[in-house]
mmCIF file of all heavy atoms in Angstrom:
data_model
loop_
_atom_site.group_PDB
_atom_site.id
_atom_site.type_symbol
_atom_site.label_atom_id
_atom_site.label_comp_id
_atom_site.label_asym_id
_atom_site.label_seq_id
_atom_site.Cartn_x
_atom_site.Cartn_y
_atom_site.Cartn_z
ATOM 1 N N TYR I 1 108.181 -33.816 -6.360
ATOM 2 C CA TYR I 1 107.952 -35.188 -5.894
ATOM 3 C C TYR I 1 108.980 -36.126 -6.533
ATOM 4 O O TYR I 1 109.537 -36.995 -5.878
ATOM 5 C CB TYR I 1 106.551 -35.677 -6.248
ATOM 6 C CG TYR I 1 105.487 -35.328 -5.244
ATOM 7 C CD1 TYR I 1 104.359 -34.620 -5.635
ATOM 8 C CD2 TYR I 1 105.579 -35.735 -3.915
ATOM 9 C CE1 TYR I 1 103.361 -34.318 -4.732
ATOM 10 C CE2 TYR I 1 104.586 -35.434 -3.002
ATOM 11 C CZ TYR I 1 103.469 -34.726 -3.416
ATOM 12 O OH TYR I 1 102.487 -34.438 -2.520
ATOM 13 N N TYR I 2 109.214 -35.954 -7.820
ATOM 14 C CA TYR I 2 110.162 -36.808 -8.531
ATOM 15 C C TYR I 2 111.584 -36.614 -8.005
ATOM 16 O O TYR I 2 112.281 -37.583 -7.698
ATOM 17 C CB TYR I 2 110.100 -36.538 -10.034
ATOM 18 C CG TYR I 2 111.038 -37.420 -10.812
ATOM 19 C CD1 TYR I 2 110.751 -38.764 -11.005
ATOM 20 C CD2 TYR I 2 112.223 -36.912 -11.324
ATOM 21 C CE1 TYR I 2 111.629 -39.588 -11.697
ATOM 22 C CE2 TYR I 2 113.101 -37.733 -12.019
ATOM 23 C CZ TYR I 2 112.801 -39.071 -12.196
ATOM 24 O OH TYR I 2 113.671 -39.882 -12.871
ATOM 25 N N VAL I 3 112.019 -35.369 -7.883
ATOM 26 C CA VAL I 3 113.378 -35.069 -7.430
ATOM 27 C C VAL I 3 113.609 -35.591 -6.013
ATOM 28 O O VAL I 3 114.675 -36.120 -5.709
ATOM 29 C CB VAL I 3 113.660 -33.549 -7.507
ATOM 30 C CG1 VAL I 3 114.935 -33.180 -6.768
ATOM 31 C CG2 VAL I 3 113.748 -33.113 -8.956
ATOM 32 N N GLN I 4 112.627 -35.474 -5.170
ATOM 33 C CA GLN I 4 112.763 -35.941 -3.789
ATOM 34 C C GLN I 4 112.686 -37.458 -3.684
ATOM 35 O O GLN I 4 112.865 -38.014 -2.613
ATOM 36 C CB GLN I 4 111.678 -35.307 -2.905
ATOM 37 C CG GLN I 4 111.772 -33.800 -2.789
ATOM 38 C CD GLN I 4 113.090 -33.330 -2.200
ATOM 39 O OE1 GLN I 4 113.601 -33.921 -1.256
ATOM 40 N NE2 GLN I 4 113.654 -32.278 -2.769
ATOM 41 N N GLY I 5 112.416 -38.113 -4.801
ATOM 42 C CA GLY I 5 112.371 -39.565 -4.798
ATOM 43 C C GLY I 5 111.071 -40.138 -4.279
ATOM 44 O O GLY I 5 110.974 -41.321 -3.992
ATOM 45 N N GLY I 6 110.068 -39.299 -4.188
ATOM 46 C CA GLY I 6 108.796 -39.757 -3.639
ATOM 47 C C GLY I 6 107.939 -40.517 -4.620
ATOM 48 O O GLY I 6 107.104 -41.329 -4.213
ATOM 49 N N VAL I 7 108.129 -40.279 -5.911
ATOM 50 C CA VAL I 7 107.299 -40.945 -6.916
ATOM 51 C C VAL I 7 108.139 -41.319 -8.134
ATOM 52 O O VAL I 7 109.179 -40.722 -8.398
ATOM 53 C CB VAL I 7 106.110 -40.067 -7.380
ATOM 54 C CG1 VAL I 7 105.162 -39.766 -6.233
ATOM 55 C CG2 VAL I 7 106.570 -38.788 -8.019
ATOM 56 N N SER I 8 107.640 -42.286 -8.872
ATOM 57 C CA SER I 8 108.307 -42.718 -10.100
ATOM 58 C C SER I 8 108.076 -41.694 -11.204
ATOM 59 O O SER I 8 107.232 -40.795 -11.080
ATOM 60 C CB SER I 8 107.744 -44.067 -10.542
ATOM 61 O OG SER I 8 106.395 -43.913 -10.965
ATOM 62 N N LEU I 9 108.782 -41.872 -12.278
ATOM 63 C CA LEU I 9 108.618 -41.019 -13.450
ATOM 64 C C LEU I 9 107.179 -41.063 -13.953
ATOM 65 O O LEU I 9 106.583 -40.041 -14.272
ATOM 66 C CB LEU I 9 109.592 -41.466 -14.546
ATOM 67 C CG LEU I 9 109.598 -40.665 -15.824
ATOM 68 C CD1 LEU I 9 110.112 -39.255 -15.560
ATOM 69 C CD2 LEU I 9 110.461 -41.345 -16.859
ATOM 70 N N GLY I 10 106.608 -42.246 -13.996
ATOM 71 C CA GLY I 10 105.231 -42.408 -14.467
ATOM 72 C C GLY I 10 104.220 -41.683 -13.592
ATOM 73 O O GLY I 10 103.321 -41.006 -14.101
ATOM 74 N N TYR I 11 104.359 -41.834 -12.272
ATOM 75 C CA TYR I 11 103.443 -41.137 -11.373
ATOM 76 C C TYR I 11 103.638 -39.631 -11.445
ATOM 77 O O TYR I 11 102.683 -38.862 -11.400
ATOM 78 C CB TYR I 11 103.602 -41.617 -9.933
ATOM 79 C CG TYR I 11 102.915 -42.929 -9.646
ATOM 80 C CD1 TYR I 11 103.567 -43.929 -8.951
ATOM 81 C CD2 TYR I 11 101.611 -43.169 -10.066
ATOM 82 C CE1 TYR I 11 102.948 -45.138 -8.682
ATOM 83 C CE2 TYR I 11 100.980 -44.370 -9.806
ATOM 84 C CZ TYR I 11 101.654 -45.351 -9.112
ATOM 85 O OH TYR I 11 101.033 -46.541 -8.846
ATOM 86 N N ALA I 12 104.884 -39.195 -11.549
ATOM 87 C CA ALA I 12 105.150 -37.756 -11.655
ATOM 88 C C ALA I 12 104.499 -37.191 -12.917
ATOM 89 O O ALA I 12 103.899 -36.113 -12.889
ATOM 90 C CB ALA I 12 106.646 -37.488 -11.639
ATOM 91 N N ALA I 13 104.605 -37.915 -14.018
ATOM 92 C CA ALA I 13 103.971 -37.472 -15.266
ATOM 93 C C ALA I 13 102.454 -37.379 -15.091
ATOM 94 O O ALA I 13 101.826 -36.436 -15.573
ATOM 95 C CB ALA I 13 104.316 -38.426 -16.405
ATOM 96 N N GLN I 14 101.883 -38.340 -14.368
ATOM 97 C CA GLN I 14 100.442 -38.301 -14.089
ATOM 98 C C GLN I 14 100.073 -37.067 -13.278
ATOM 99 O O GLN I 14 99.097 -36.385 -13.586
ATOM 100 C CB GLN I 14 100.028 -39.535 -13.281
ATOM 101 C CG GLN I 14 99.308 -40.577 -14.048
ATOM 102 C CD GLN I 14 98.808 -41.668 -13.119
ATOM 103 O OE1 GLN I 14 99.575 -42.236 -12.342
ATOM 104 N NE2 GLN I 14 97.541 -41.948 -13.204
ATOM 105 N N ILE I 15 100.849 -36.785 -12.231
ATOM 106 C CA ILE I 15 100.580 -35.611 -11.396
ATOM 107 C C ILE I 15 100.640 -34.353 -12.253
ATOM 108 O O ILE I 15 99.811 -33.457 -12.115
ATOM 109 C CB ILE I 15 101.597 -35.523 -10.232
ATOM 110 C CG1 ILE I 15 101.372 -36.673 -9.240
ATOM 111 C CG2 ILE I 15 101.491 -34.178 -9.513
ATOM 112 C CD1 ILE I 15 102.516 -36.870 -8.254
ATOM 113 N N ALA I 16 101.619 -34.297 -13.147
ATOM 114 C CA ALA I 16 101.798 -33.127 -14.006
ATOM 115 C C ALA I 16 100.763 -33.062 -15.126
ATOM 116 O O ALA I 16 100.697 -32.077 -15.850
ATOM 117 C CB ALA I 16 103.199 -33.137 -14.610
ATOM 118 N N ASP I 17 99.982 -34.118 -15.279
ATOM 119 C CA ASP I 17 98.993 -34.222 -16.353
ATOM 120 C C ASP I 17 99.680 -34.150 -17.716
ATOM 121 O O ASP I 17 99.247 -33.435 -18.616
ATOM 122 C CB ASP I 17 97.912 -33.153 -16.217
ATOM 123 C CG ASP I 17 96.676 -33.447 -17.063
ATOM 124 O OD1 ASP I 17 96.425 -34.625 -17.352
ATOM 125 O OD2 ASP I 17 95.972 -32.489 -17.443
ATOM 126 N N MET I 18 100.782 -34.897 -17.821
ATOM 127 C CA MET I 18 101.575 -34.942 -19.040
ATOM 128 C C MET I 18 101.861 -36.396 -19.385
ATOM 129 O O MET I 18 101.824 -37.256 -18.496
ATOM 130 C CB MET I 18 102.915 -34.216 -18.836
ATOM 131 C CG MET I 18 102.799 -32.771 -18.409
ATOM 132 S SD MET I 18 104.391 -32.093 -17.890
ATOM 133 C CE MET I 18 105.047 -31.617 -19.471
ATOM 134 N N ASP I 19 102.186 -36.658 -20.658
ATOM 135 C CA ASP I 19 102.676 -37.983 -20.989
ATOM 136 C C ASP I 19 104.142 -38.057 -20.548
ATOM 137 O O ASP I 19 104.768 -37.032 -20.271
ATOM 138 C CB ASP I 19 102.497 -38.306 -22.478
ATOM 139 C CG ASP I 19 103.221 -37.335 -23.387
ATOM 140 O OD1 ASP I 19 104.459 -37.202 -23.270
ATOM 141 O OD2 ASP I 19 102.555 -36.686 -24.217
ATOM 142 N N LYS I 20 104.670 -39.272 -20.458
ATOM 143 C CA LYS I 20 106.041 -39.440 -19.953
ATOM 144 C C LYS I 20 107.069 -38.681 -20.781
ATOM 145 O O LYS I 20 107.979 -38.064 -20.242
ATOM 146 C CB LYS I 20 106.419 -40.917 -19.903
ATOM 147 C CG LYS I 20 105.866 -41.668 -18.732
ATOM 148 C CD LYS I 20 106.424 -43.085 -18.734
ATOM 149 C CE LYS I 20 105.841 -43.903 -17.626
ATOM 150 N NZ LYS I 20 106.381 -45.276 -17.640
ATOM 151 N N GLU I 21 106.921 -38.726 -22.099
ATOM 152 C CA GLU I 21 107.891 -38.051 -22.968
ATOM 153 C C GLU I 21 107.920 -36.551 -22.695
ATOM 154 O O GLU I 21 108.987 -35.951 -22.574
ATOM 155 C CB GLU I 21 107.556 -38.315 -24.426
ATOM 156 C CG GLU I 21 108.541 -37.698 -25.391
ATOM 157 C CD GLU I 21 108.214 -37.977 -26.852
ATOM 158 O OE1 GLU I 21 107.554 -38.978 -27.147
ATOM 159 O OE2 GLU I 21 108.626 -37.155 -27.690
ATOM 160 N N SER I 22 106.752 -35.940 -22.578
ATOM 161 C CA SER I 22 106.675 -34.498 -22.299
ATOM 162 C C SER I 22 107.244 -34.179 -20.930
ATOM 163 O O SER I 22 107.930 -33.168 -20.740
ATOM 164 C CB SER I 22 105.234 -34.009 -22.392
ATOM 165 O OG SER I 22 104.737 -34.185 -23.690
ATOM 166 N N PHE I 23 106.984 -35.063 -19.960
ATOM 167 C CA PHE I 23 107.504 -34.821 -18.613
ATOM 168 C C PHE I 23 109.023 -34.949 -18.596
ATOM 169 O O PHE I 23 109.705 -34.162 -17.930
ATOM 170 C CB PHE I 23 106.866 -35.765 -17.590
ATOM 171 C CG PHE I 23 107.226 -35.408 -16.176
ATOM 172 C CD1 PHE I 23 106.724 -34.261 -15.585
ATOM 173 C CD2 PHE I 23 108.084 -36.203 -15.447
ATOM 174 C CE1 PHE I 23 107.072 -33.907 -14.292
ATOM 175 C CE2 PHE I 23 108.442 -35.868 -14.143
ATOM 176 C CZ PHE I 23 107.930 -34.712 -13.568
ATOM 177 N N ILE I 24 109.562 -35.905 -19.338
ATOM 178 C CA ILE I 24 111.024 -36.042 -19.419
ATOM 179 C C ILE I 24 111.638 -34.781 -20.018
ATOM 180 O O ILE I 24 112.666 -34.288 -19.541
ATOM 181 C CB ILE I 24 111.410 -37.304 -20.229
ATOM 182 C CG1 ILE I 24 111.070 -38.559 -19.422
ATOM 183 C CG2 ILE I 24 112.884 -37.288 -20.618
ATOM 184 C CD1 ILE I 24 111.156 -39.857 -20.208
ATOM 185 N N LYS I 25 111.016 -34.233 -21.049
ATOM 186 C CA LYS I 25 111.495 -32.975 -21.636
ATOM 187 C C LYS I 25 111.432 -31.848 -20.612
ATOM 188 O O LYS I 25 112.352 -31.027 -20.511
ATOM 189 C CB LYS I 25 110.676 -32.617 -22.870
ATOM 190 C CG LYS I 25 110.966 -33.493 -24.061
ATOM 191 C CD LYS I 25 110.098 -33.125 -25.250
ATOM 192 C CE LYS I 25 110.326 -34.078 -26.399
ATOM 193 N NZ LYS I 25 109.425 -33.821 -27.527
ATOM 194 N N PHE I 26 110.338 -31.792 -19.843
ATOM 195 C CA PHE I 26 110.184 -30.784 -18.790
ATOM 196 C C PHE I 26 111.290 -30.929 -17.747
ATOM 197 O O PHE I 26 111.880 -29.935 -17.309
ATOM 198 C CB PHE I 26 108.796 -30.908 -18.147
ATOM 199 C CG PHE I 26 108.570 -29.999 -16.985
ATOM 200 C CD1 PHE I 26 108.460 -28.632 -17.162
ATOM 201 C CD2 PHE I 26 108.438 -30.513 -15.706
ATOM 202 C CE1 PHE I 26 108.242 -27.778 -16.085
ATOM 203 C CE2 PHE I 26 108.207 -29.681 -14.627
ATOM 204 C CZ PHE I 26 108.118 -28.309 -14.817
ATOM 205 N N LEU I 27 111.610 -32.171 -17.380
ATOM 206 C CA LEU I 27 112.706 -32.386 -16.437
ATOM 207 C C LEU I 27 114.012 -31.848 -17.009
ATOM 208 O O LEU I 27 114.769 -31.167 -16.315
ATOM 209 C CB LEU I 27 112.854 -33.878 -16.117
ATOM 210 C CG LEU I 27 111.757 -34.520 -15.275
ATOM 211 C CD1 LEU I 27 111.977 -36.030 -15.185
ATOM 212 C CD2 LEU I 27 111.684 -33.902 -13.898
ATOM 213 N N GLY I 28 114.275 -32.147 -18.274
ATOM 214 C CA GLY I 28 115.493 -31.661 -18.915
ATOM 215 C C GLY I 28 115.567 -30.149 -18.934
ATOM 216 O O GLY I 28 116.631 -29.572 -18.705
ATOM 217 N N GLU I 29 114.433 -29.494 -19.209
ATOM 218 C CA GLU I 29 114.390 -28.022 -19.202
ATOM 219 C C GLU I 29 114.731 -27.465 -17.827
ATOM 220 O O GLU I 29 115.192 -26.328 -17.705
ATOM 221 C CB GLU I 29 112.998 -27.536 -19.606
ATOM 222 C CG GLU I 29 112.653 -27.811 -21.053
ATOM 223 C CD GLU I 29 111.165 -27.658 -21.348
ATOM 224 O OE1 GLU I 29 110.377 -27.273 -20.454
ATOM 225 O OE2 GLU I 29 110.774 -27.949 -22.502
ATOM 226 N N ASN I 30 114.508 -28.276 -16.786
ATOM 227 C CA ASN I 30 114.777 -27.861 -15.414
ATOM 228 C C ASN I 30 116.037 -28.507 -14.852
ATOM 229 O O ASN I 30 116.236 -28.558 -13.641
ATOM 230 C CB ASN I 30 113.558 -28.166 -14.538
ATOM 231 C CG ASN I 30 112.439 -27.201 -14.825
ATOM 232 O OD1 ASN I 30 112.425 -26.090 -14.314
ATOM 233 N ND2 ASN I 30 111.511 -27.588 -15.709
ATOM 234 N N LYS I 31 116.880 -29.019 -15.768
ATOM 235 C CA LYS I 31 118.184 -29.592 -15.408
ATOM 236 C C LYS I 31 118.072 -30.758 -14.423
ATOM 237 O O LYS I 31 118.907 -30.926 -13.537
ATOM 238 C CB LYS I 31 119.117 -28.520 -14.821
ATOM 239 C CG LYS I 31 119.212 -27.246 -15.634
ATOM 240 C CD LYS I 31 120.100 -27.427 -16.833
ATOM 241 C CE LYS I 31 120.394 -26.119 -17.498
ATOM 242 N NZ LYS I 31 119.664 -25.833 -18.683
ATOM 243 N N VAL I 32 117.030 -31.575 -14.604
ATOM 244 C CA VAL I 32 116.831 -32.752 -13.761
ATOM 245 C C VAL I 32 117.009 -33.986 -14.635
ATOM 246 O O VAL I 32 116.332 -34.130 -15.654
ATOM 247 C CB VAL I 32 115.426 -32.760 -13.113
ATOM 248 C CG1 VAL I 32 115.190 -34.047 -12.341
ATOM 249 C CG2 VAL I 32 115.233 -31.545 -12.218
ATOM 250 N N SER I 33 117.915 -34.856 -14.243
ATOM 251 C CA SER I 33 118.165 -36.084 -14.985
ATOM 252 C C SER I 33 117.129 -37.138 -14.611
ATOM 253 O O SER I 33 116.694 -37.217 -13.464
ATOM 254 C CB SER I 33 119.561 -36.611 -14.662
ATOM 255 O OG SER I 33 119.750 -37.891 -15.244
ATOM 256 N N ILE I 34 116.787 -37.966 -15.579
ATOM 257 C CA ILE I 34 115.886 -39.071 -15.273
ATOM 258 C C ILE I 34 116.645 -40.243 -14.659
ATOM 259 O O ILE I 34 116.042 -41.188 -14.179
ATOM 260 C CB ILE I 34 115.093 -39.557 -16.508
ATOM 261 C CG1 ILE I 34 116.027 -40.078 -17.592
ATOM 262 C CG2 ILE I 34 114.194 -38.463 -17.020
ATOM 263 C CD1 ILE I 34 115.319 -40.808 -18.713
ATOM 264 N N PHE I 35 117.954 -40.173 -14.659
ATOM 265 C CA PHE I 35 118.771 -41.250 -14.111
ATOM 266 C C PHE I 35 119.172 -40.917 -12.682
ATOM 267 O O PHE I 35 120.239 -40.389 -12.428
ATOM 268 C CB PHE I 35 119.997 -41.494 -14.999
ATOM 269 C CG PHE I 35 119.610 -41.817 -16.413
ATOM 270 C CD1 PHE I 35 119.795 -40.890 -17.419
ATOM 271 C CD2 PHE I 35 119.030 -43.032 -16.714
ATOM 272 C CE1 PHE I 35 119.417 -41.178 -18.724
ATOM 273 C CE2 PHE I 35 118.650 -43.333 -18.014
ATOM 274 C CZ PHE I 35 118.844 -42.406 -19.021
ATOM 275 N N GLN I 36 118.275 -41.231 -11.752
ATOM 276 C CA GLN I 36 118.506 -40.927 -10.334
ATOM 277 C C GLN I 36 118.292 -42.192 -9.508
ATOM 278 O O GLN I 36 117.395 -42.266 -8.676
ATOM 279 C CB GLN I 36 117.541 -39.847 -9.860
ATOM 280 C CG GLN I 36 117.679 -38.549 -10.590
ATOM 281 C CD GLN I 36 116.719 -37.518 -10.069
ATOM 282 O OE1 GLN I 36 115.947 -37.752 -9.165
ATOM 283 N NE2 GLN I 36 116.771 -36.342 -10.636
ATOM 284 N N TYR I 37 119.120 -43.164 -9.733
ATOM 285 C CA TYR I 37 118.941 -44.437 -9.058
ATOM 286 C C TYR I 37 120.137 -44.720 -8.174
ATOM 287 O O TYR I 37 121.271 -44.439 -8.525
ATOM 288 C CB TYR I 37 118.749 -45.557 -10.083
ATOM 289 C CG TYR I 37 117.577 -45.270 -10.986
ATOM 290 C CD1 TYR I 37 117.767 -44.773 -12.274
ATOM 291 C CD2 TYR I 37 116.286 -45.446 -10.535
ATOM 292 C CE1 TYR I 37 116.693 -44.490 -13.091
ATOM 293 C CE2 TYR I 37 115.194 -45.155 -11.343
ATOM 294 C CZ TYR I 37 115.409 -44.683 -12.620
ATOM 295 O OH TYR I 37 114.338 -44.388 -13.419
ATOM 296 N N ASP I 38 119.855 -45.295 -7.006
ATOM 297 C CA ASP I 38 120.914 -45.631 -6.069
ATOM 298 C C ASP I 38 121.610 -46.935 -6.420
ATOM 299 O O ASP I 38 122.725 -47.194 -5.992
ATOM 300 C CB ASP I 38 120.352 -45.726 -4.650
ATOM 301 C CG ASP I 38 119.858 -44.369 -4.154
ATOM 302 O OD1 ASP I 38 120.422 -43.341 -4.558
ATOM 303 O OD2 ASP I 38 118.899 -44.351 -3.352
ATOM 304 N N SER I 39 120.911 -47.769 -7.205
ATOM 305 C CA SER I 39 121.499 -49.057 -7.547
ATOM 306 C C SER I 39 121.003 -49.517 -8.916
ATOM 307 O O SER I 39 120.000 -49.020 -9.434
ATOM 308 C CB SER I 39 121.110 -50.110 -6.504
ATOM 309 O OG SER I 39 119.710 -50.361 -6.573
ATOM 310 N N LYS I 40 121.699 -50.484 -9.465
ATOM 311 C CA LYS I 40 121.309 -51.066 -10.741
ATOM 312 C C LYS I 40 119.937 -51.726 -10.610
ATOM 313 O O LYS I 40 119.103 -51.622 -11.508
ATOM 314 C CB LYS I 40 122.357 -52.088 -11.184
ATOM 315 C CG LYS I 40 122.048 -52.781 -12.479
ATOM 316 C CD LYS I 40 123.125 -53.785 -12.837
ATOM 317 C CE LYS I 40 122.750 -54.558 -14.082
ATOM 318 N NZ LYS I 40 123.751 -55.576 -14.406
ATOM 319 N N GLU I 41 119.683 -52.370 -9.487
ATOM 320 C CA GLU I 41 118.409 -53.045 -9.259
ATOM 321 C C GLU I 41 117.251 -52.056 -9.269
ATOM 322 O O GLU I 41 116.192 -52.320 -9.826
ATOM 323 C CB GLU I 41 118.428 -53.822 -7.934
ATOM 324 C CG GLU I 41 119.346 -55.023 -7.932
ATOM 325 C CD GLU I 41 120.829 -54.660 -7.793
ATOM 326 O OE1 GLU I 41 121.156 -53.573 -7.271
ATOM 327 O OE2 GLU I 41 121.670 -55.472 -8.234
ATOM 328 N N GLU I 42 117.469 -50.910 -8.658
ATOM 329 C CA GLU I 42 116.432 -49.870 -8.624
ATOM 330 C C GLU I 42 116.126 -49.384 -10.044
ATOM 331 O O GLU I 42 114.964 -49.195 -10.412
ATOM 332 C CB GLU I 42 116.890 -48.707 -7.744
ATOM 333 C CG GLU I 42 115.817 -47.681 -7.486
ATOM 334 C CD GLU I 42 116.293 -46.561 -6.576
ATOM 335 O OE1 GLU I 42 117.397 -46.637 -5.999
ATOM 336 O OE2 GLU I 42 115.536 -45.585 -6.440
ATOM 337 N N PHE I 43 117.157 -49.196 -10.852
ATOM 338 C CA PHE I 43 116.970 -48.774 -12.242
ATOM 339 C C PHE I 43 116.207 -49.825 -13.033
ATOM 340 O O PHE I 43 115.272 -49.510 -13.770
ATOM 341 C CB PHE I 43 118.339 -48.493 -12.885
ATOM 342 C CG PHE I 43 118.250 -48.169 -14.355
ATOM 343 C CD1 PHE I 43 117.720 -46.972 -14.772
ATOM 344 C CD2 PHE I 43 118.698 -49.077 -15.302
ATOM 345 C CE1 PHE I 43 117.641 -46.663 -16.127
ATOM 346 C CE2 PHE I 43 118.621 -48.781 -16.657
ATOM 347 C CZ PHE I 43 118.082 -47.572 -17.072
ATOM 348 N N LEU I 44 116.588 -51.086 -12.884
ATOM 349 C CA LEU I 44 115.908 -52.169 -13.600
ATOM 350 C C LEU I 44 114.445 -52.308 -13.174
ATOM 351 O O LEU I 44 113.573 -52.576 -14.002
ATOM 352 C CB LEU I 44 116.657 -53.482 -13.406
ATOM 353 C CG LEU I 44 118.053 -53.542 -14.043
ATOM 354 C CD1 LEU I 44 118.778 -54.828 -13.665
ATOM 355 C CD2 LEU I 44 117.965 -53.390 -15.550
ATOM 356 N N GLU I 45 114.171 -52.086 -11.898
ATOM 357 C CA GLU I 45 112.782 -52.126 -11.404
ATOM 358 C C GLU I 45 111.965 -51.016 -12.034
ATOM 359 O O GLU I 45 110.819 -51.224 -12.442
ATOM 360 C CB GLU I 45 112.772 -52.000 -9.881
ATOM 361 C CG GLU I 45 111.398 -52.088 -9.255
ATOM 362 C CD GLU I 45 110.765 -53.473 -9.394
ATOM 363 O OE1 GLU I 45 111.490 -54.476 -9.506
ATOM 364 O OE2 GLU I 45 109.523 -53.549 -9.382
#
């Protein structure tokens, strides 16, 4: 869901039943960057 852009990092962590920090580590283990924004505005949001 996160990679496809369907949900935010926070929602993805909720789906995974993990805290954000643990989910970010899980993303890293799977070679997925948390920086997947099309624009600066999207990142700031």
Side-chain angles (χ1 to χ4, degrees):
Y1 273 124
Y2 181 74
V3 168
Q4 296 300 319
V7 297
S8 68
L9 182 66
Y11 281 134
Q14 255 187 307
I15 292 166
D17 196 26
M18 302 169 85
D19 59 59
K20 281 185 183 180
E21 182 179 335
S22 297
F23 188 70
I24 289 169
K25 288 178 184 175
F26 175 69
L27 290 174
E29 292 165 3
N30 287 278
K31 311 283 190 258
V32 175
S33 173
I34 62 169
F35 303 107
Q36 299 181 0
Y37 303 101
D38 294 329
S39 67
K40 179 181 175 183
E41 291 77 23
E42 188 178 351
F43 175 71
L44 293 174
E45 182 67 26

